């Protein structure tokens, strides 16, 4: 299986989490943590339902994976997320020692991996991960655009 097929396979799982988030009227972002080709953490945005600004998909997936491995360090783990991580989530990714980060859509407003700013290239930070953006970007972006278009339509009706 080629790398692109492997990346797409796992990103499909992250998209399933994003779709579940969408169905729960949350911003549709999903994430998974993979260790040795096994998914060990699932996450989807829950900030709205939990009234919690840090309940991002990445944070929830990292917490599950840490519980699974019984370690706060996720050495040799990969994270797949449907939207480029924000500063907070990238900080958690660095602290967890995630090895590789894969994401779908670029975030030009709050992305910390090159969309808005690029902390991954900052060599003064004590940890780095490799990254690849744009995996199933179209699908990730369309889901987000649909969600916000619907929210604007509801707001304009009221």
């Amino acid at each position: 299986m080629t790398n692109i097929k492997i990346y797409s396979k796992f990103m499909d799982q992250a998209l399933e989490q994003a779709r579940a988030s969408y169905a729960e009227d949350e911003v549709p972002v999903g994430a998974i943590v993979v260790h040795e080709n096994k998914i060990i953490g699932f996450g989807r945005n829950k900030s709205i339902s939990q009234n919690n600004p840090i309940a991002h998909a990445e944070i929830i997936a990292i917490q599950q994976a840490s519980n699974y491995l019984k370690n706060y360090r996720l050495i040799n783990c990969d994270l797949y997320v449907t939207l480029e991580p924000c500063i907070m989530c990238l900080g958690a990714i660095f602290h967890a020692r995630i090895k590789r980060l894969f994401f779908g859509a670029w975030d030009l407003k709050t992305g910390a991996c090159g969309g808005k700013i690029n902390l991954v290239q900052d060599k003064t930070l004590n940890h780095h991960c490799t990254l690849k953006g744009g995996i199933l970007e179209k699908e990730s972006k369309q889901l987000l655009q649909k969600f916000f278009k619907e929210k604007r339509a509801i707001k304009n009706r009221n």
Side-chain angles (χ1 to χ4, degrees):
M1 190 179 283
T2 67
N3 283 348
I4 296 298
K5 285 184 182 178
I6 292 169
Y7 303 155
S8 295
K9 173 187 139 187
F10 287 127
M11 190 59 75
D12 275 334
Q13 294 296 310
L15 272 165
E16 283 302 312
Q17 292 298 308
R19 289 183 191 104
S21 192
Y22 177 90
E24 295 167 355
D25 204 29
E26 294 276 357
V27 177
V29 178
I32 62 164
V33 176
V34 177
H35 181 256
E36 297 176 352
N37 284 324
K38 179 181 179 185
I39 298 172
I40 62 169
F42 292 90
R44 61 180 176 265
N45 274 3
K46 293 182 180 242
S47 293
I48 297 168
S49 63
Q50 292 184 1
N51 295 313
N52 183 349
I54 65 170
H56 287 199
E58 300 95 322
I59 302 295
I60 294 167
I62 288 169
Q63 287 173 327
Q64 272 193 13
S66 294
N67 288 336
Y68 179 87
L69 292 177
K70 296 180 181 10
N71 195 333
Y72 72 109
R73 298 288 196 219
L74 300 178
I75 307 297
N76 294 320
C77 289
D78 299 330
L79 177 75
Y80 290 79
V81 61
T82 58
L83 181 64
E84 177 186 358
C86 68
I87 294 168
M88 174 185 70
C89 291
L90 189 61
I93 291 163
F94 286 170
H95 284 292
R97 304 298 194 258
I98 298 286
K99 183 176 182 178
R100 297 184 303 174
L101 167 63
F102 302 95
F103 64 87
W106 294 89
D107 186 345
L108 303 180
K109 293 182 180 177
T110 64
C113 302
K116 179 66 176 174
I117 62 171
N118 194 338
L119 293 178
V120 176
Q121 290 183 343
D122 185 340
K123 300 306 178 197
T124 64
L125 298 172
N126 69 332
H127 177 72
H128 299 92
C129 60
T130 61
L131 82 99
K132 179 158 181 55
I135 300 169
L136 300 184
E137 180 177 13
K138 180 180 173 186
E139 295 87 336
S140 298
K141 190 174 180 179
Q142 285 176 339
L143 188 59
L144 285 158
Q145 288 174 333
K146 180 180 176 186
F147 177 82
F148 286 112
K149 183 178 180 181
E150 289 172 3
K151 289 295 176 196
R152 283 189 297 276
I154 291 168
K155 184 177 179 182
N156 290 337
R157 281 197 300 257
N158 293 333

